[in-house]
Amino acid sequence: MTRPPKPPPDKTFRFTPRINTQQIEAGHVFAPKFDDDGLITCVVTDAWVGDVLMVAHMDAQALGRTIETAEAWFYSRSRKQLWRKGEQSGHTLRVVEMRVDCDQDAVWIRVEQIGKGVCHTGRRTCFYRTLSLNEPAGPATSLEFRDADLVFDPEAVYGKKE
């Protein structure tokens, strides 16, 4: 088993200030737009198959560490802390490519999964249910499971939830 890379030393990541639309939409400078909570949305897809694996958030620290280590780092809104994907489960994400959208308020990372799955429920992807379309939306809207087989035991990996 290979050792995870050492995290970079703690430092404050500062990105280029946003000046104008030309710079943001047509320039070569990365000037991410963080929301009021200091976060940017990150869409994560499988680099080889193309499936959406998860959507998470990054603060400046997580974004900087992801860029510098080519491993996926995120900010947990529920735990209010930085985390490296796989630090508990061992199911890490090696970043193959990172892109930013047109107005630089979302990033997309294409990753290689090192491990069985990314979802804390034990599945390969967090997107394992579909919604019926062209139906009335509301309390009767139901979900259908797709590609929802467990690929690992979440209790064995994360412990029993209380």
Side-chain angles (χ1 to χ4, degrees):
M1 187 164 140
T2 60
R3 279 181 125 64
K6 272 179 118 174
D10 283 339
K11 64 181 178 181
T12 302
F13 290 94
R14 290 191 177 90
F15 295 98
T16 301
R18 297 166 64 85
I19 298 170
N20 58 40
T21 303
Q22 176 68 21
Q23 172 218 28
I24 301 305
E25 295 178 359
H28 291 276
V29 176
F30 184 46
K33 180 179 181 183
F34 296 96
D35 67 15
D36 292 342
D37 294 322
L39 303 174
I40 191 168
T41 301
C42 178
V43 178
V44 181
T45 63
D46 184 288
W48 316 121
V49 180
D51 293 345
V52 176
L53 301 175
M54 62 186 283
V55 173
H57 296 87
M58 296 177 164
D59 62 359
Q61 190 79 0
L63 183 59
R65 285 188 178 193
T66 298
I67 293 167
E68 289 187 352
T69 65
E71 285 234 326
W73 288 78
F74 302 106
Y75 182 81
S76 170
R77 295 180 298 170
S78 59
R79 295 187 313 255
K80 299 191 181 334
Q81 67 182 32
L82 180 71
W83 59 285
R84 182 178 61 85
K85 181 66 178 137
E87 64 192 0
Q88 188 174 358
S89 68
H91 304 165
T92 61
L93 300 175
R94 186 181 70 79
V95 180
V96 173
E97 181 180 34
M98 185 174 211
R99 294 188 186 195
V100 64
D101 75 333
C102 58
D103 55 0
Q104 299 195 35
D105 66 354
V107 293
W108 167 30
I109 58 175
R110 294 178 54 239
V111 301
E112 177 180 44
Q113 289 191 70
I114 312 299
K116 296 180 180 180
V118 300
C119 187
H120 73 283
T121 66
R123 293 173 174 88
R124 183 178 158 275
T125 170
C126 294
F127 292 88
Y128 55 89
R129 295 174 290 182
T130 63
L131 288 95
S132 297
L133 300 176
N134 296 314
E135 300 285 334
T141 303
S142 64
L143 300 172
E144 182 180 324
F145 284 77
R146 294 273 170 88
D147 303 317
D149 295 339
L150 294 180
V151 294
F152 68 92
D153 179 3
E155 273 190 32
V157 171
Y158 301 112
K160 192 170 186 150
K161 287 195 174 190
E162 298 182 30

